[in-house]
Amino acid sequence: MASQNGVVFEDFFPAMVEKLGAEGFMKELCNGFQLLVDRDKGVITFESLKRNSALLGLQDMSDEEVICMLREGDLDGDGALNEMEFCTLMLRLSPELMNNSRKLLVEAIVNF
């Protein structure tokens, strides 16, 4: 279990990568993005994350925690997460995947 900004989660990503492979795992991350995205804006906004947080089991997150999560992943400073920012954030939240990131990158390039 890991804690990020008071939110506790179990890191299932390494097992998912092992089962799905790098390409399959990235597709699943993209599917996760689609679950949370604001359909009109094409990004994850505060409102869309708050509205869909129950899909992640995070329905009890405070507004402050949602804002912190968005800030953590918002690389371009627009206050929302695009698909690349979301996937990057998800990978950063998995310590084991970060340790194995070189192997995953090579596998993804080979399969591309």
Coordinates of all heavy atoms in Angstrom, one line a residue, residues 5-89:
N5 N -0.8 12.1 -0.8 CA -1.7 13.2 -0.4 C -2.8 12.7 0.4 O -4.0 13.1 0.3 CB -2.2 13.9 -1.7 CG -1.1 14.6 -2.5 OD1 -0.2 15.0 -1.9 ND2 -1.3 14.6 -3.8
G6 N -2.6 11.7 1.3 CA -3.6 11.2 2.2 C -4.5 10.1 1.6 O -5.3 9.5 2.2
V7 N -4.3 9.8 0.3 CA -5.1 8.8 -0.4 C -4.3 7.5 -0.4 O -3.1 7.5 -0.8 CB -5.5 9.2 -1.8 CG1 -6.2 8.0 -2.5 CG2 -6.3 10.4 -1.8
V8 N -4.8 6.4 0.1 CA -4.1 5.1 0.2 C -4.6 4.3 -0.9 O -5.8 4.1 -1.2 CB -4.4 4.5 1.6 CG1 -3.7 3.1 1.6 CG2 -3.9 5.4 2.7
F9 N -3.6 3.7 -1.7 CA -4.0 2.7 -2.7 C -3.0 1.6 -2.8 O -1.9 1.7 -2.3 CB -4.0 3.5 -4.1 CG -2.7 3.9 -4.6 CD1 -2.0 3.1 -5.4 CD2 -2.2 5.1 -4.2 CE1 -0.7 3.5 -5.9 CE2 -0.9 5.5 -4.6 CZ -0.2 4.7 -5.5
E10 N -3.4 0.5 -3.3 CA -2.5 -0.6 -3.5 C -2.0 -0.7 -4.9 O -2.8 -0.4 -5.8 CB -3.2 -1.9 -3.1 CG -2.3 -3.1 -3.1 CD -2.9 -4.3 -2.4 OE1 -3.9 -4.2 -1.7 OE2 -2.4 -5.4 -2.6
D11 N -0.8 -0.9 -5.1 CA -0.1 -0.8 -6.4 C -0.3 -2.2 -7.1 O 0.4 -3.1 -7.0 CB 1.3 -0.5 -6.2 CG 2.0 -0.2 -7.5 OD1 1.4 -0.2 -8.6 OD2 3.2 0.1 -7.5
F12 N -1.4 -2.2 -8.0 CA -1.6 -3.4 -8.8 C -1.0 -3.3 -10.2 O -1.0 -4.2 -11.0 CB -3.1 -3.6 -9.0 CG -3.8 -3.9 -7.7 CD1 -4.7 -3.0 -7.1 CD2 -3.7 -5.2 -7.2 CE1 -5.3 -3.4 -6.0 CE2 -4.4 -5.6 -6.0 CZ -5.2 -4.6 -5.4
F13 N -0.4 -2.1 -10.5 CA 0.2 -1.9 -11.8 C 1.2 -2.9 -12.2 O 1.2 -3.4 -13.4 CB 0.7 -0.5 -12.0 CG -0.3 0.5 -12.1 CD1 0.0 1.9 -12.1 CD2 -1.7 0.2 -12.2 CE1 -1.0 2.9 -12.2 CE2 -2.7 1.2 -12.3 CZ -2.3 2.5 -12.3
P14 N 2.2 -3.3 -11.4 CA 3.2 -4.3 -11.8 C 2.6 -5.6 -12.2 O 3.0 -6.2 -13.2 CB 4.1 -4.4 -10.6 CG 4.0 -3.1 -9.9 CD 2.6 -2.7 -10.1
A15 N 1.6 -6.1 -11.5 CA 0.9 -7.3 -11.9 C 0.2 -7.2 -13.2 O 0.1 -8.1 -14.0 CB -0.1 -7.7 -10.8
M16 N -0.4 -6.0 -13.4 CA -1.1 -5.7 -14.7 C -0.2 -5.7 -15.8 O -0.5 -6.3 -16.9 CB -1.9 -4.4 -14.6 CG -3.1 -4.4 -13.7 SD -3.8 -2.8 -13.5 CE -4.5 -2.5 -15.2
V17 N 1.0 -5.1 -15.6 CA 2.0 -5.1 -16.7 C 2.5 -6.5 -17.0 O 2.6 -6.9 -18.2 CB 3.2 -4.2 -16.4 CG1 4.3 -4.4 -17.4 CG2 2.8 -2.8 -16.3
E18 N 2.7 -7.3 -16.0 CA 3.1 -8.7 -16.2 C 2.1 -9.5 -17.0 O 2.4 -10.2 -17.9 CB 3.4 -9.3 -14.9 CG 4.1 -10.7 -15.1 CD 4.7 -11.2 -13.8 OE1 5.3 -10.4 -13.0 OE2 4.6 -12.4 -13.5
K19 N 0.8 -9.3 -16.6 CA -0.3 -10.0 -17.3 C -0.6 -9.5 -18.7 O -0.8 -10.3 -19.6 CB -1.5 -9.9 -16.4 CG -2.7 -10.7 -17.0 CD -3.9 -10.7 -16.1 CE -5.0 -11.5 -16.8 NZ -6.2 -11.6 -16.0
L20 N -0.6 -8.2 -18.9 CA -1.0 -7.6 -20.1 C 0.1 -7.2 -21.1 O -0.1 -7.0 -22.3 CB -1.8 -6.3 -19.9 CG -3.1 -6.4 -19.0 CD1 -3.6 -5.1 -18.6 CD2 -4.1 -7.3 -19.7
G21 N 1.3 -7.1 -20.6 CA 2.4 -6.6 -21.4 C 2.4 -5.1 -21.4 O 1.4 -4.5 -21.0
A22 N 3.5 -4.5 -21.8 CA 3.5 -3.0 -21.8 C 2.5 -2.3 -22.7 O 1.8 -1.4 -22.2 CB 4.9 -2.5 -22.2
E23 N 2.3 -2.9 -23.9 CA 1.3 -2.3 -24.8 C -0.1 -2.4 -24.2 O -0.9 -1.5 -24.2 CB 1.4 -2.9 -26.1 CG 0.5 -2.3 -27.2 CD 0.7 -2.9 -28.6 OE1 1.7 -3.6 -28.8 OE2 -0.2 -2.6 -29.4
G24 N -0.5 -3.6 -23.7 CA -1.8 -3.8 -23.1 C -2.0 -3.0 -21.9 O -3.1 -2.4 -21.7
F25 N -1.0 -2.8 -21.1 CA -1.1 -2.0 -19.9 C -1.4 -0.5 -20.3 O -2.2 0.2 -19.7 CB 0.1 -2.1 -19.1 CG 0.1 -1.2 -17.9 CD1 -0.7 -1.4 -16.8 CD2 1.0 -0.1 -17.8 CE1 -0.7 -0.6 -15.7 CE2 1.0 0.8 -16.7 CZ 0.1 0.5 -15.7
M26 N -0.7 0.0 -21.3 CA -0.9 1.4 -21.7 C -2.3 1.6 -22.3 O -2.9 2.6 -22.1 CB 0.2 1.8 -22.8 CG 1.6 1.9 -22.2 SD 1.7 3.0 -20.7 CE 1.3 4.6 -21.4
K27 N -2.8 0.6 -23.0 CA -4.2 0.7 -23.5 C -5.1 0.8 -22.3 O -6.1 1.5 -22.3 CB -4.5 -0.6 -24.3 CG -3.9 -0.5 -25.7 CD -4.3 -1.7 -26.5 CE -3.6 -1.7 -27.9 NZ -3.9 -2.9 -28.7
E28 N -4.9 0.0 -21.2 CA -5.7 0.1 -20.0 C -5.7 1.4 -19.4 O -6.7 1.9 -18.9 CB -5.4 -1.1 -19.0 CG -5.9 -2.4 -19.5 CD -7.4 -2.5 -19.7 OE1 -8.1 -2.0 -18.9 OE2 -7.8 -3.0 -20.8
L29 N -4.5 2.0 -19.3 CA -4.3 3.4 -18.8 C -5.2 4.4 -19.6 O -5.8 5.2 -19.1 CB -2.9 3.8 -18.7 CG -2.0 3.3 -17.6 CD1 -0.6 3.9 -17.7 CD2 -2.6 3.6 -16.2
C30 N -5.1 4.2 -20.9 CA -5.9 5.1 -21.8 C -7.4 4.9 -21.6 O -8.1 5.9 -21.6 CB -5.5 4.9 -23.3 SG -3.8 5.4 -23.7
N31 N -7.8 3.6 -21.3 CA -9.2 3.4 -21.0 C -9.6 4.1 -19.7 O -10.7 4.6 -19.6 CB -9.5 1.9 -20.9 CG -9.4 1.2 -22.3 OD1 -9.5 1.8 -23.3 ND2 -9.2 -0.1 -22.2
G32 N -8.7 4.0 -18.7 CA -8.9 4.7 -17.5 C -9.1 6.2 -17.6 O -9.9 6.8 -17.0
F33 N -8.3 6.8 -18.5 CA -8.4 8.2 -18.8 C -9.8 8.5 -19.4 O -10.4 9.4 -19.0 CB -7.3 8.6 -19.8 CG -7.4 10.0 -20.3 CD1 -7.0 11.1 -19.5 CD2 -8.0 10.3 -21.5 CE1 -7.1 12.4 -20.0 CE2 -8.2 11.6 -22.0 CZ -7.7 12.7 -21.2
Q34 N -10.2 7.6 -20.3 CA -11.5 7.8 -20.9 C -12.7 7.8 -19.9 O -13.7 8.5 -20.1 CB -11.8 6.8 -22.0 CG -10.9 7.0 -23.2 CD -11.0 8.4 -23.9 OE1 -12.1 8.9 -24.0 NE2 -9.9 9.0 -24.2
L35 N -12.5 7.0 -18.9 CA -13.6 6.9 -17.8 C -13.7 8.3 -17.0 O -14.7 8.6 -16.5 CB -13.2 5.8 -16.8 CG -13.4 4.4 -17.3 CD1 -12.9 3.4 -16.2 CD2 -14.9 4.1 -17.6
L36 N -12.6 9.0 -16.9 CA -12.5 10.2 -16.1 C -12.6 11.5 -16.8 O -12.8 12.5 -16.3 CB -11.2 10.2 -15.3 CG -11.0 8.9 -14.4 CD1 -9.7 8.9 -13.7 CD2 -12.1 8.9 -13.3
V37 N -12.5 11.4 -18.2 CA -12.4 12.6 -19.0 C -13.7 13.4 -19.0 O -14.8 12.9 -18.9 CB -11.9 12.3 -20.4 CG1 -13.0 11.6 -21.2 CG2 -11.4 13.5 -21.1
D38 N -13.6 14.7 -19.1 CA -14.7 15.6 -19.4 C -14.9 15.5 -20.9 O -14.1 15.9 -21.7 CB -14.4 17.0 -19.0 CG -15.5 18.0 -19.3 OD1 -16.0 18.0 -20.4 OD2 -15.8 18.8 -18.4
R39 N -16.0 15.0 -21.3 CA -16.3 14.7 -22.8 C -16.2 15.9 -23.6 O -15.8 15.9 -24.8 CB -17.6 14.0 -23.0 CG -17.7 12.7 -22.2 CD -17.1 11.5 -23.0 NE -17.3 10.3 -22.3 CZ -16.2 9.5 -22.0 NH1 -15.0 9.9 -22.3 NH2 -16.4 8.4 -21.3
D40 N -16.7 17.1 -23.1 CA -16.7 18.3 -23.9 C -15.3 18.9 -24.0 O -15.0 19.5 -25.1 CB -17.6 19.3 -23.2 CG -19.1 18.9 -23.2 OD1 -19.5 18.2 -24.1 OD2 -19.8 19.3 -22.3
K41 N -14.5 18.8 -23.0 CA -13.1 19.4 -23.0 C -12.0 18.5 -23.4 O -10.9 18.9 -23.8 CB -12.8 20.0 -21.6 CG -13.8 21.1 -21.3 CD -13.5 21.6 -19.9 CE -14.6 22.7 -19.5 NZ -14.4 23.2 -18.2
G42 N -12.2 17.2 -23.4 CA -11.2 16.2 -23.8 C -10.1 16.0 -22.8 O -9.0 15.5 -23.1
V43 N -10.2 16.5 -21.5 CA -9.2 16.4 -20.5 C -9.9 16.0 -19.2 O -11.2 16.2 -19.1 CB -8.4 17.7 -20.3 CG1 -7.6 18.0 -21.5 CG2 -9.3 18.9 -20.0
I44 N -9.2 15.6 -18.2 CA -9.7 15.4 -16.9 C -9.7 16.7 -16.1 O -8.6 17.3 -15.9 CB -8.9 14.3 -16.1 CG1 -9.0 13.0 -16.8 CG2 -9.4 14.2 -14.7 CD1 -8.1 11.9 -16.3
T45 N -10.8 17.2 -15.7 CA -11.0 18.4 -15.0 C -11.3 18.1 -13.5 O -11.6 17.0 -13.2 CB -12.1 19.3 -15.6 OG1 -13.3 18.6 -15.4 CG2 -11.9 19.6 -17.0
F46 N -11.3 19.1 -12.7 CA -11.7 19.0 -11.3 C -13.1 18.4 -11.3 O -13.3 17.4 -10.5 CB -11.6 20.3 -10.6 CG -12.3 20.2 -9.2 CD1 -11.5 19.8 -8.1 CD2 -13.6 20.6 -9.0 CE1 -12.1 19.7 -6.9 CE2 -14.2 20.6 -7.8 CZ -13.4 20.1 -6.7
E47 N -14.0 18.9 -12.0 CA -15.4 18.5 -12.0 C -15.5 17.1 -12.5 O -16.2 16.3 -11.9 CB -16.2 19.4 -12.9 CG -16.4 20.8 -12.4 CD -15.2 21.7 -12.7 OE1 -14.3 21.4 -13.5 OE2 -15.1 22.8 -12.1
S48 N -14.8 16.7 -13.6 CA -15.0 15.3 -14.1 C -14.3 14.3 -13.1 O -14.8 13.2 -13.0 CB -14.4 15.2 -15.5 OG -13.0 15.3 -15.5
L49 N -13.2 14.7 -12.5 CA -12.6 13.8 -11.6 C -13.4 13.6 -10.3 O -13.6 12.5 -9.8 CB -11.2 14.3 -11.2 CG -10.4 13.4 -10.3 CD1 -10.2 12.0 -10.8 CD2 -9.0 14.0 -10.0
K50 N -14.0 14.7 -9.8 CA -14.9 14.6 -8.7 C -16.1 13.8 -9.0 O -16.5 13.0 -8.2 CB -15.2 16.1 -8.3 CG -15.9 16.2 -6.9 CD -14.9 16.0 -5.8 CE -15.6 16.3 -4.5 NZ -15.0 15.8 -3.4
R51 N -16.7 14.0 -10.1 CA -17.9 13.3 -10.6 C -17.7 11.8 -10.7 O -18.5 11.0 -10.4 CB -18.4 13.9 -11.9 CG -19.7 13.3 -12.4 CD -20.2 14.1 -13.6 NE -19.3 14.2 -14.7 CZ -18.7 15.4 -15.1 NH1 -19.0 16.5 -14.5 NH2 -17.8 15.4 -16.0
N52 N -16.5 11.5 -11.2 CA -16.2 10.1 -11.5 C -15.3 9.4 -10.5 O -14.9 8.2 -10.8 CB -15.6 10.0 -12.9 CG -16.5 10.4 -14.0 OD1 -17.7 10.0 -14.0 ND2 -16.1 11.3 -14.9
S53 N -15.0 10.0 -9.4 CA -14.1 9.5 -8.5 C -14.5 8.1 -7.9 O -13.7 7.3 -7.5 CB -13.8 10.5 -7.3 OG -15.0 10.8 -6.6
A54 N -15.8 7.9 -7.8 CA -16.3 6.6 -7.3 C -15.9 5.4 -8.1 O -15.7 4.3 -7.6 CB -17.9 6.7 -7.2
L55 N -15.7 5.7 -9.4 CA -15.2 4.6 -10.3 C -13.8 4.1 -9.9 O -13.4 3.0 -10.1 CB -15.1 5.1 -11.8 CG -16.4 5.5 -12.4 CD1 -16.1 6.2 -13.8 CD2 -17.3 4.3 -12.6
L56 N -13.1 5.0 -9.2 CA -11.7 4.6 -8.6 C -11.8 4.2 -7.2 O -10.8 3.9 -6.6 CB -10.8 5.8 -8.8 CG -10.6 6.3 -10.2 CD1 -9.8 7.6 -10.1 CD2 -9.9 5.3 -11.1
G57 N -13.0 4.2 -6.6 CA -13.1 3.9 -5.2 C -12.7 5.1 -4.3 O -12.3 4.9 -3.2
L58 N -12.7 6.3 -4.9 CA -12.2 7.5 -4.2 C -13.3 8.5 -4.0 O -13.0 9.7 -3.9 CB -11.1 8.1 -5.0 CG -9.8 7.3 -5.3 CD1 -8.9 8.0 -6.3 CD2 -9.1 6.9 -4.0
Q59 N -14.5 8.0 -3.8 CA -15.6 8.9 -3.6 C -15.5 9.8 -2.4 O -16.2 10.8 -2.3 CB -17.0 8.1 -3.7 CG -17.1 7.1 -2.6 CD -16.5 5.8 -3.0 OE1 -15.9 5.6 -4.0 NE2 -16.7 4.8 -2.1
D60 N -14.7 9.4 -1.4 CA -14.6 10.1 -0.2 C -13.5 11.2 -0.2 O -13.2 11.8 0.8 CB -14.4 9.2 1.0 CG -15.6 8.3 1.2 OD1 -16.7 8.7 1.0 OD2 -15.3 7.1 1.7
M61 N -12.9 11.4 -1.4 CA -11.8 12.4 -1.5 C -12.4 13.8 -1.3 O -13.5 14.1 -1.8 CB -11.2 12.3 -2.9 CG -10.2 11.2 -3.0 SD -9.4 11.2 -4.7 CE -8.7 12.7 -4.8
S62 N -11.7 14.6 -0.5 CA -12.1 16.0 -0.4 C -11.7 16.8 -1.6 O -10.9 16.3 -2.4 CB -11.3 16.6 0.9 OG -10.0 16.7 0.6
D63 N -12.3 17.9 -1.7 CA -12.0 18.8 -2.9 C -10.5 19.1 -2.9 O -9.9 19.1 -3.9 CB -12.8 20.1 -2.8 CG -14.2 19.9 -3.1 OD1 -14.6 18.8 -3.5 OD2 -15.0 20.9 -3.0
E64 N -9.9 19.3 -1.7 CA -8.5 19.6 -1.6 C -7.6 18.5 -2.1 O -6.6 18.7 -2.9 CB -8.1 19.9 -0.1 CG -6.6 20.1 0.1 CD -6.2 21.5 -0.4 OE1 -7.0 22.4 -0.6 OE2 -5.0 21.6 -0.7
E65 N -8.0 17.2 -1.8 CA -7.3 16.0 -2.3 C -7.4 15.9 -3.9 O -6.4 15.6 -4.5 CB -7.8 14.8 -1.7 CG -7.4 14.7 -0.2 CD -8.1 13.6 0.6 OE1 -9.3 13.3 0.3 OE2 -7.4 13.0 1.5
V66 N -8.6 16.2 -4.4 CA -8.8 16.2 -5.8 C -7.9 17.2 -6.5 O -7.2 17.0 -7.5 CB -10.3 16.4 -6.2 CG1 -10.4 16.5 -7.7 CG2 -11.1 15.2 -5.7
I67 N -7.9 18.4 -5.9 CA -7.0 19.5 -6.5 C -5.5 19.1 -6.4 O -4.8 19.3 -7.4 CB -7.3 20.8 -5.7 CG1 -8.7 21.4 -6.1 CG2 -6.2 21.9 -6.0 CD1 -9.2 22.5 -5.2
C68 N -5.1 18.5 -5.3 CA -3.7 18.1 -5.2 C -3.4 17.0 -6.2 O -2.3 17.0 -6.8 CB -3.5 17.5 -3.8 SG -3.3 18.8 -2.5
M69 N -4.3 16.1 -6.5 CA -4.1 15.1 -7.5 C -3.9 15.7 -8.9 O -3.0 15.3 -9.6 CB -5.2 14.0 -7.5 CG -5.0 12.9 -8.4 SD -6.3 11.7 -8.4 CE -6.0 10.8 -6.9
L70 N -4.8 16.6 -9.2 CA -4.7 17.3 -10.5 C -3.3 18.1 -10.6 O -2.7 18.0 -11.6 CB -5.8 18.3 -10.7 CG -7.2 17.6 -11.0 CD1 -8.3 18.6 -11.0 CD2 -7.1 16.9 -12.4
R71 N -3.0 18.8 -9.5 CA -1.7 19.6 -9.6 C -0.5 18.6 -9.7 O 0.4 19.0 -10.4 CB -1.6 20.4 -8.3 CG -2.4 21.6 -8.2 CD -2.0 22.5 -7.0 NE -2.9 23.5 -6.9 CZ -3.4 23.9 -5.7 NH1 -3.0 23.3 -4.6 NH2 -4.3 24.8 -5.6
E72 N -0.6 17.5 -9.1 CA 0.5 16.5 -9.1 C 0.8 16.1 -10.6 O 2.0 15.9 -11.0 CB 0.2 15.3 -8.3 CG 1.2 14.2 -8.3 CD 2.4 14.5 -7.3 OE1 2.2 15.2 -6.3 OE2 3.4 13.9 -7.5
G73 N -0.2 16.0 -11.4 CA 0.0 15.5 -12.7 C 0.0 16.5 -13.8 O 0.3 16.3 -15.0
D74 N -0.4 17.8 -13.5 CA -0.6 18.8 -14.5 C 0.8 19.4 -14.9 O 1.3 20.4 -14.3 CB -1.5 19.9 -13.9 CG -1.8 21.0 -14.8 OD1 -1.6 20.9 -16.0 OD2 -2.3 22.1 -14.4
L75 N 1.3 18.9 -15.9 CA 2.7 19.3 -16.4 C 2.7 20.6 -17.1 O 3.6 21.3 -17.1 CB 3.3 18.2 -17.2 CG 3.4 16.8 -16.6 CD1 3.9 15.8 -17.6 CD2 4.3 16.9 -15.3
D76 N 1.6 20.9 -17.8 CA 1.5 22.2 -18.6 C 0.8 23.3 -17.9 O 0.7 24.4 -18.5 CB 0.9 21.9 -20.0 CG -0.5 21.5 -19.9 OD1 -1.1 21.5 -18.8 OD2 -1.0 21.0 -21.0
G77 N 0.4 23.1 -16.7 CA -0.2 24.2 -15.9 C -1.5 24.7 -16.3 O -1.9 25.8 -15.9
D78 N -2.3 23.9 -17.0 CA -3.6 24.3 -17.5 C -4.7 24.0 -16.5 O -5.9 24.3 -16.7 CB -3.9 23.8 -18.9 CG -4.1 22.3 -19.0 OD1 -3.9 21.6 -17.9 OD2 -4.4 21.8 -20.0
G79 N -4.4 23.3 -15.4 CA -5.4 23.0 -14.4 C -6.2 21.7 -14.7 O -7.1 21.4 -14.0
A80 N -5.8 21.0 -15.7 CA -6.5 19.7 -16.1 C -5.4 18.7 -16.5 O -4.2 19.1 -16.7 CB -7.4 20.0 -17.2
L81 N -5.8 17.5 -16.7 CA -4.9 16.4 -17.2 C -5.3 15.9 -18.5 O -6.4 15.5 -18.7 CB -4.9 15.2 -16.2 CG -4.6 15.4 -14.7 CD1 -4.7 14.1 -14.0 CD2 -3.2 16.0 -14.6
N82 N -4.3 16.0 -19.5 CA -4.6 15.4 -20.8 C -4.1 14.0 -20.6 O -3.7 13.5 -19.6 CB -3.8 16.2 -21.9 CG -2.3 16.2 -21.7 OD1 -1.7 15.2 -21.3 ND2 -1.7 17.3 -22.1
E83 N -4.3 13.2 -21.7 CA -4.0 11.8 -21.6 C -2.6 11.5 -21.3 O -2.3 10.6 -20.5 CB -4.4 11.1 -23.0 CG -4.4 9.6 -22.9 CD -5.0 9.0 -24.1 OE1 -4.5 9.2 -25.2 OE2 -6.0 8.2 -24.0
M84 N -1.7 12.2 -21.9 CA -0.2 11.9 -21.6 C 0.1 12.3 -20.1 O 0.8 11.5 -19.4 CB 0.6 12.8 -22.5 CG 2.1 12.5 -22.4 SD 3.0 13.5 -21.2 CE 2.6 15.2 -21.6
E85 N -0.5 13.4 -19.6 CA -0.2 13.7 -18.2 C -0.8 12.7 -17.2 O -0.2 12.3 -16.2 CB -0.8 15.1 -17.9 CG -0.1 16.2 -18.5 CD -0.8 17.6 -18.4 OE1 -2.1 17.6 -18.4 OE2 -0.2 18.6 -18.3
F86 N -2.0 12.2 -17.6 CA -2.7 11.2 -16.8 C -1.8 9.9 -16.7 O -1.6 9.3 -15.6 CB -4.1 10.9 -17.3 CG -4.8 9.7 -16.6 CD1 -5.3 9.9 -15.4 CD2 -4.8 8.5 -17.2 CE1 -5.9 8.8 -14.7 CE2 -5.4 7.4 -16.6 CZ -6.0 7.6 -15.3
C87 N -1.4 9.4 -17.9 CA -0.6 8.2 -17.9 C 0.7 8.4 -17.2 O 1.2 7.5 -16.5 CB -0.4 7.8 -19.4 SG -1.9 7.2 -20.2
T88 N 1.3 9.5 -17.4 CA 2.6 9.8 -16.7 C 2.4 9.8 -15.2 O 3.2 9.2 -14.4 CB 3.2 11.2 -17.1 OG1 3.4 11.1 -18.5 CG2 4.5 11.5 -16.4
L89 N 1.3 10.4 -14.7 CA 1.0 10.5 -13.3 C 0.8 9.0 -12.7 O 1.3 8.7 -11.7 CB -0.2 11.3 -13.0 CG -0.7 11.4 -11.6 CD1 0.3 12.0 -10.6 CD2 -2.0 12.1 -11.5

